[in-house]
Amino acid sequence: MGRSRCRARVPGLAVFLACCLGAAAGAPRQATYTTTAVDAAADAAGARVATVRVASDPVPEYGTPFEELRVEVTPETATRLHVKVQPNDGSTRWEVPEFIVQRPGAQAGLSAKALTYDVSTGAPGEPFALTVTRASTGEPIFDTRGHRFVFKDQFIELTTTVPADADLYGLGEVSLPTGMLLPRDGSVLTLWARDLASALPYANLYGSHPFYLQVAKDGSTHGVLFLNSNGMDVLLNATSLTYRRASCERGPVIGGLVDLYFFTGPSPEEVIRQYHAVIGAPALPPYWSLGFHQTRWGYSNMTVLESVVDNYTATGLPLETVWSDIEYMPTRFWTMEFDEFRYPADGMRHLVDRLHARGQHWVAIQDAGIAADKGYRAFEEGSRDRVWITDESGVDYMGQVWPGKTVYPDYLDNPRTSAWLTRELRHMHEQVPYDGLWLDMNEASSFCSGLNCVPDTRNITAMHWLQVETPRDYNISELIPFRTSCQMRCEAPPADNTLEHPPYAIANFGQSGQPEDRGAALGWKTISPSAKHANGAREYDAHNLYGTSMAWAHYNSVAEVTGKRPFLLTRSTFPGAGKWTAHWTGDNGVNWENLYMSIAGIVNTNMWGMPMAGADICGFMDTGFAPGAPPLSDAELQELCNRWASLGAFYPFSRNHYAYNTRSHEFYLWDDVAASAKKAYGLRYRLLTYIYGAFYLASAKGGTVARPLLFTDPSDAGARCGGGARAAACARAAAVATRCNASAQWMMGEGLLISPVVAPGATTVTPYFTAGAWYSAWDYSRLSAPAGRAVPLDAPLGEIPVHFRGGAVLPMQGYAPVTRDIRLAPVTLVVALPAEPSRGARAAGAPLPPYAAEESCAAAHAKNAGSLVSCGLLYMDQGDNIQVTPDNSVEVWFTAAAAPDATRGSVTSTVKAAGGEAARTLRVEAVHVLGVAAPAAGAAPTARVGGREVPAEYDAAAGALRISGLDARAGEPLALEWSV
């Protein structure tokens, strides 16, 4: 399909795309710097410095270029290269603070022979060009040759060639109807954190993540991080990726410096681990947080909240955690305080005590803005301690959010703020012992815009809506439109303020969120870019870090206050945020398109280093998807919620949440939705410990929990939704009509594939399966895929296809409605035998075996070449302890090896840690081996553990051998042999 046809099928976007495509077609393609010197290698790995001098200035309207630049090339590991470009004039440029991204530096003793990449900056006298290639094949990883490079104070432009047959993923945060595959049709993604609904496609949203994953046609994978927190645009064309603008002008990043990291993989999960080694591995969430969560904006009082808990219990549905939105706060929305009528602190303490006694939990919201009200403890103590962001003159910066006039804590390297926050969170915890905190509106959001704002005392109407208190019955329908419109008098920035009006304007979406509305100022509905932090930083540079620095401060304070592993959920994020917080995809819509887009949302968030990710199940905002489209009917909402309950049960973070004016959609409101939720969450809860093990691996080594199917076999174009630029260019036009099968699926960890229904009225689904053996998680039935293929499956309402991947060992436990009663329950190991014998080592162009990168599993494959090999992890700790060590946790790797004809085999374990309560209590009671050959006529299956015979039964319908009676301590070596 040609580009013109793609545009024609997307009303409202044709002009926007035509402009970008025209700019790309006629853009000049020349370097603007010349290499003048390249120093000799400073170490055995080949670290060196090049000096480059400006040769021309193709865009003088954006300021004066730096005359000379210093290019630092530093091989840091065999698979990680760091390239940093900055002015060579002794000046200091803004950089992302190291408390957010630590910069691990070069590995000691690294030699050039070990490197998996080659790098060049050009010889003296030649045009400067940065080229990074894969050493083994010469495949380009990053190549600026033939493209111009511009470096000015507020303008950086950088372009790399991208092969037309490669596929790109990552970059954001943005909701794309195309799914996880990035479009290559001239689309522009803008990175500038905004309080815009994720229900809106293409808009720049809450987070800024300048990282992308590139998968070549043969499956080799690399990643690139542009570590820069300034606003930027990224233009995606058929054969290039450019940091530039959405209009017909060229343009890019509006400050900072060029700080690039390259990760050579070669597998996708290895790339992600290498990336996380730079930004920090994600935090391990508390075990309880893997249960089901329920909240809404607008549970009007404590009695309503209690009734929600009781209704879930009465319906027999699991409920781990109930949440409170801003309605728990006093009438002026004082965060960290409780309304004396709706949510009195004494009553809430009794409620939370009852929840805790039943193994349940309570989480409260914390908005970024603090009410600037006299008599409010947090405001008065914060003002005394000088913890607020200020305007450029040093006066406390004031905006408007739900409380009305609002100030903003300065979390960016301000020790006074950390002490203030710990004190206020302790005060809150002493009133009501919260279990986690929900950090919202932290882009940071304001309903006003300007250099600073003050109450407009001359405007009686504005003062009324700015100061009016919340009605006691929490009927805020009249308040919402006025409180969310600016009621303050704000100082407009002068035209010559280059922080508010930089020479180059990124394509920041306006409040409408529509594609033609991309001219919003940087300070629109957020803190002024001119505002100052205590360390001297300007919000112009640090804006995209607000949510992450807020999470960092809260993590440290909550750990100190509670003595337990913190659970935080944040909306705004930047690379490194996952070290402290989970993330949800924000204000999505109650429609099928948003259900589908949520899959890419959670997968991307995992790649960005926040595996504890989810979307609001059943949708937050009761809106149609297309502009002007009506909301779903009641019957359509019921069907959507039925499907979303099944799908959402397998989000890493699983929460039903909706807005004040949205129709209620707790699962118990419909019998069929409740039945679907019971079934799907029943399986999730039986797999909680398997899922927890995936989180442990991510926290210990980096990596994902929810990941694209392509991670199992990146050489399979069907799994990549790929085909390169041609497929991606037309993906937008085909987004609704013919989605790629694999874009509507995801893997949970190494061994679990989720394939939901994502369209109304469907009773079948056609998931894609990469080559190998796959087994239904519901009945163990086997599906074989000699090569990757899409397979039609029945999926009537209430059903969701879930499959175990051959080659994985998964721990399962019995169901209980709260996680407390599952964590140490007896374990059944499900051994899913692979389709083909192990080759002993990973083979290029072949599917990657589960846990292929783990030491124990790689050793098992090497030892058992020619056998059917499966591998998996059982991990458990105290569930909420801050420090995890071998003395308080159990880490056991199980490996299974079977004869090629699957008639006999063994299951053994390697114990890496065996300490604490789990070592004393957790036991393996059974093993189910899937894919076993039927016994010969008259033969009976047998199984022995340590010489002791145990019961073994062959399930002919499933082709599974069920072994029971093991009663083996999880922390002790296991040696099981079986035969049919």
Side-chain angles (χ1 to χ4, degrees):
M1 179 183 294
R3 291 179 182 174
S4 60
R5 290 182 60 196
C6 290
R7 290 199 303 272
R9 292 175 60 181
V10 190
L13 296 180
V15 174
F16 168 72
L17 288 178
C19 176
C20 291
L21 293 168
R29 299 170 60 84
Q30 75 274 7
T32 54
Y33 281 86
T34 299
T35 302
T36 57
V38 180
D39 294 350
D43 59 22
R48 56 193 179 275
V49 175
T51 305
V52 302
R53 181 170 289 276
V54 68
S56 63
D57 183 5
V59 282
E61 63 270 30
Y62 296 137
T64 303
F66 289 104
E67 285 293 326
E68 191 171 80
L69 302 176
R70 174 184 173 89
V71 183
E72 301 172 3
V73 178
T74 309
E76 294 193 341
T77 71
T79 56
R80 182 177 77 233
L81 171 67
H82 186 195
V83 176
K84 189 173 184 179
V85 185
Q86 56 192 325
N88 199 28
D89 57 7
S91 62
T92 301
R93 300 278 291 173
W94 164 259
E95 297 185 57
V96 176
E98 291 199 7
F99 81 89
I100 290 180
V101 177
Q102 289 92 339
R103 321 297 206 285
Q107 174 185 325
L110 183 66
S111 71
K113 292 182 179 179
L115 303 183
T116 58
Y117 48 83
D118 295 317
V119 59
S120 171
T121 56
E126 294 181 351
F128 167 70
L130 175 63
T131 58
V132 183
T133 57
R134 194 175 297 279
S136 59
T137 63
E139 170 198 347
I141 289 173
F142 201 81
D143 187 358
T144 70
R145 289 174 298 181
H147 304 286
R148 73 187 189 190
F149 171 49
V150 183
F151 198 140
K152 305 185 178 191
D153 184 40
Q154 291 183 277
F155 184 93
I156 300 171
E157 179 180 301
L158 182 68
T159 299
T160 179
T161 297
V162 177
D165 59 2
D167 296 308
L168 299 178
Y169 311 89
L171 294 174
E173 185 173 13
V174 61
S175 297
L176 292 174
T178 54
M180 63 182 178
L181 183 66
L182 292 175
R184 304 273 292 283
D185 56 3
S187 293
V188 173
L189 305 184
T190 298
L191 277 61
W192 184 253
R194 285 293 307 280
D195 176 10
L196 281 173
S198 61
L200 301 168
Y202 309 112
N204 49 296
L205 298 176
Y206 318 104
S208 174
H209 291 274
F211 167 82
Y212 67 87
L213 188 79
Q214 181 171 321
V215 185
K217 184 177 181 180
D218 66 357
S220 60
T221 306
H222 68 264
V224 179
L225 168 65
F226 190 154
L227 184 57
N228 185 303
S229 63
N230 290 88
M232 68 175 75
D233 292 329
V234 184
L235 172 62
L236 299 161
N237 272 324
T239 58
S240 65
L241 181 152
T242 303
Y243 299 93
R244 64 162 62 155
R245 189 183 177 180
S247 75
C248 290
E249 301 170 353
R250 298 168 62 86
V253 184
I254 57 174
L257 44 75
V258 175
D259 199 357
L260 294 165
Y261 286 87
F262 303 95
F263 312 97
T264 62
S267 75
E269 186 69 5
E270 285 171 316
V271 169
I272 299 303
R273 284 188 172 187
Q274 292 156 13
Y275 171 44
H276 294 176
V278 170
I279 66 171
L284 179 63
Y287 187 85
W288 62 262
S289 67
L290 301 186
F292 170 67
H293 305 252
Q294 176 65 54
T295 186
R296 74 162 295 190
W297 169 29
Y299 287 141
S300 57
N301 56 56
M302 192 181 73
T303 301
V304 174
L305 188 69
E306 287 181 296
S307 71
V308 171
V309 177
D310 293 341
N311 286 335
Y312 270 99
T313 301
T315 316
L317 286 162
L319 177 64
E320 184 71 19
T321 307
V322 66
W323 296 48
S324 292
D325 208 313
I326 58 175
E327 63 270 4
Y328 82 87
M329 301 175 188
T331 58
R332 297 283 303 142
F333 295 108
W334 291 358
T335 190
M336 298 179 283
E337 300 287 358
F338 295 85
D339 185 85
E340 61 179 324
F341 299 106
R342 294 190 306 274
Y343 283 87
D346 288 345
M348 281 300 295
R349 172 177 279 278
H350 291 312
L351 170 59
V352 171
D353 286 346
R354 290 196 298 274
L355 291 172
H356 289 168
R358 292 186 292 196
Q360 295 171 307
H361 300 83
W362 178 68
V363 171
I365 200 169
Q366 307 282 289
D367 276 355
I370 298 294
D373 291 343
K374 291 182 178 180
Y376 174 28
R377 170 194 165 116
F379 171 68
E380 293 191 340
E381 295 192 356
S383 297
R384 179 198 67 200
D385 295 345
R386 296 178 293 118
V387 306
W388 315 128
I389 290 175
T390 69
D391 66 14
E392 57 186 353
S393 68
V395 175
D396 293 342
Y397 181 84
M398 190 174 293
Q400 177 188 315
V401 201
W402 292 110
K405 57 183 181 178
T406 303
V407 290
Y408 297 87
D410 177 6
Y411 295 112
L412 193 72
D413 195 25
N414 185 345
R416 297 190 302 271
T417 307
S418 298
W420 164 83
L421 180 65
T422 301
R423 189 168 60 247
E424 301 308 319
L425 289 179
R426 180 173 286 112
H427 165 68
M428 180 184 180
H429 195 265
E430 288 170 349
Q431 295 181 82
V432 182
Y434 53 81
D435 297 292
L437 295 175
W438 171 17
L439 313 181
D440 198 11
M441 309 291 285
N442 56 351
E443 291 72 31
S445 177
S446 176
F447 302 143
C448 289
S449 310
L451 290 175
N452 208 337
C453 302
V454 295
D456 187 357
T457 56
R458 297 169 298 179
N459 187 328
I460 297 174
T461 301
M463 288 301 295
H464 168 77
W465 290 113
L466 189 67
Q467 297 176 329
V468 67
E469 296 191 347
T470 308
R472 189 173 294 185
D473 64 0
Y474 202 70
N475 183 351
I476 59 173
S477 297
E478 187 180 17
L479 173 65
I480 290 174
F482 292 97
R483 188 58 62 81
T484 56
S485 300
C486 187
Q487 306 295 335
M488 302 181 75
R489 188 175 73 251
C490 300
E491 180 184 356
D496 62 354
N497 184 325
T498 58
L499 297 181
E500 304 283 343
H501 305 295
Y504 167 77
I506 59 172
N508 190 22
F509 266 77
Q511 202 64 22
S512 73
Q514 298 307 308
E516 63 274 11
D517 183 12
R518 299 194 74 168
L522 293 178
W524 179 250
K525 301 291 186 178
T526 189
I527 299 172
S528 165
S530 300
K532 294 172 64 177
H533 294 263
N535 65 357
R538 295 287 189 144
E539 190 68 5
Y540 176 88
D541 295 311
H543 167 83
N544 283 333
L545 304 178
Y546 193 93
T548 297
S549 60
M550 183 181 180
W552 165 76
H554 277 74
Y555 185 93
N556 293 329
S557 292
V558 170
E560 181 175 337
V561 169
T562 67
K564 296 179 180 179
R565 190 184 310 165
F567 174 72
L568 303 177
L569 181 75
T570 190
R571 193 168 73 175
S572 185
T573 61
F574 186 79
K579 297 189 292 292
W580 308 295
T581 184
H583 173 61
W584 93 107
T585 62
D587 297 349
N588 60 358
V590 181
N591 53 64
W592 290 93
E593 291 83 0
N594 274 255
L595 175 149
Y596 168 74
M597 290 192 299
S598 75
I599 297 172
I602 64 163
V603 164
N604 283 332
T605 301
N606 269 255
M607 289 194 288
W608 298 333
M610 295 166 286
M612 191 62 167
D616 288 345
I617 296 171
C618 300
F620 178 76
M621 302 167 58
D622 210 346
T623 59
F625 181 66
L632 300 180
S633 69
D634 288 347
E636 291 169 331
L637 169 62
Q638 182 174 345
E639 181 192 4
L640 173 75
C641 207
N642 191 312
R643 289 301 191 187
W644 214 328
S646 297
L647 180 155
F650 298 98
Y651 289 150
F653 168 63
S654 186
R655 183 183 71 159
N656 183 323
H657 175 47
Y658 60 100
Y660 177 79
N661 289 318
T662 297
R663 287 168 290 176
S664 298
H665 55 53
E666 289 84 2
F667 296 152
Y668 55 71
L669 294 176
W670 306 277
D671 290 343
D672 65 317
V673 174
S676 295
K678 284 180 185 178
K679 180 164 187 175
Y681 282 95
L683 180 58
R684 175 194 178 94
Y685 274 46
R686 293 180 64 208
L687 286 162
L688 281 183
T689 295
Y690 161 75
I691 297 170
Y692 193 54
F695 275 103
Y696 165 71
L697 272 185
S699 70
K701 300 184 177 183
T704 61
V705 173
R707 62 190 67 162
L709 176 62
L710 73 92
F711 278 34
T712 66
D713 187 358
S715 68
D716 188 332
R720 296 198 310 268
C721 292
R726 178 180 176 83
C730 292
R732 180 181 305 190
V736 176
T738 55
R739 292 180 177 128
C740 165
N741 303 69
S743 71
Q745 301 170 260
W746 73 97
M747 294 290 297
M748 278 287 277
E750 295 278 351
L752 194 69
L753 175 63
I754 316 300
S755 306
V757 173
V758 296
T763 57
T764 62
V765 65
T766 309
Y768 193 86
F769 294 89
T770 51
W774 299 85
Y775 303 87
S776 168
W778 302 108
D779 61 13
Y780 292 167
S781 58
R782 178 169 173 158
L783 186 154
S784 295
R789 64 188 181 107
V791 180
L793 299 174
D794 289 332
L797 200 63
E799 304 288 336
I800 178 172
V802 181
H803 289 83
F804 300 136
R805 187 181 177 211
V809 177
L810 300 89
M812 297 187 71
Q813 293 160 293
Y815 170 79
V818 291
T819 65
R820 175 194 63 187
D821 299 333
I822 297 173
R823 188 171 65 87
L824 299 176
V827 172
T828 294
L829 297 177
V830 177
V831 177
L833 293 180
E836 300 291 338
S838 173
R839 304 183 186 187
R842 284 164 45 177
L848 301 170
Y851 302 102
E854 308 308 325
E855 179 184 358
S856 296
C857 297
H861 279 277
K863 180 181 178 181
N864 296 285
S867 298
L868 302 174
V869 177
S870 300
C871 191
L873 168 66
L874 174 62
Y875 173 81
M876 188 52 63
D877 53 31
Q878 295 168 245
D880 61 1
N881 48 312
I882 296 176
Q883 296 296 327
V884 173
T885 71
D887 293 330
N888 61 21
S889 63
V890 166
E891 180 184 352
V892 183
W893 287 93
F894 292 96
T895 56
D901 61 1
T903 59
R904 64 189 184 281
S906 64
V907 180
T908 59
S909 68
T910 301
V911 178
K912 295 292 185 72
E917 178 188 24
R920 298 188 300 270
T921 308
L922 199 59
R923 309 182 83 83
V924 177
E925 66 173 359
V927 173
H928 294 172
V929 187
L930 315 186
V932 174
T942 61
R944 304 181 71 85
V945 176
R948 174 174 61 92
E949 190 166 343
V950 292
E953 179 183 4
Y954 183 75
D955 181 342
L961 179 65
R962 301 175 186 265
I963 304 168
S964 58
L966 273 64
D967 193 30
R969 287 184 183 272
E972 296 179 356
L974 174 70
L976 166 69
E977 295 180 347
W978 58 268
S979 174
V980 293

